[in-house]
Amino acid sequence: MTAMSHVAEISRSAVPILFKAACPDCRARFELSAGALRLAIGASPRTTFYSFTCPECEAPVRKPAGERIIELLTGGGVRTLRLHSTV
């Protein structure tokens, strides 16, 4: 077995990563896949956040993302948008 086929085999058998989240509007708690989350990394803490739509009440949710959250989300395959300032 080559290294690449071993990696492919692990990828096929890997369990999808789920992230625990909560909605501030309806207070529901749930798990979301990486595809349900978006991460935006800006130049400041104010412009660095993750977002999702609550699966219970369908409210849009936006929460600040610190260094640890960024690390967990990017490592878990969450799509990331890097915001650039225009100077």
Side-chain angles (χ1 to χ4, degrees), residues 2-87:
T2 68
M4 284 304 278
S5 63
H6 181 67
V7 169
E9 185 175 321
I10 290 171
S11 296
R12 281 192 299 266
S13 64
V15 176
I17 295 174
L18 295 175
F19 298 93
K20 292 182 180 184
C23 176
D25 288 349
C26 71
R27 301 191 187 273
R29 295 186 168 281
F30 38 83
E31 293 182 335
L32 297 170
S33 67
L37 294 156
R38 299 292 175 268
L39 174 62
I41 300 176
S44 71
R46 184 176 172 193
T47 58
T48 302
F49 60 90
Y50 66 99
S51 62
F52 58 90
T53 299
C54 175
E56 298 292 323
C57 71
E58 299 184 356
V61 178
R62 178 176 162 164
K63 295 188 175 187
E67 287 184 35
R68 181 68 178 139
I69 300 259
I70 293 169
E71 182 181 320
L72 291 170
L73 295 179
T74 56
V78 172
R79 253 192 301 184
T80 302
L81 173 65
R82 296 199 183 271
L83 306 174
H84 298 282
S85 63
T86 55
V87 180

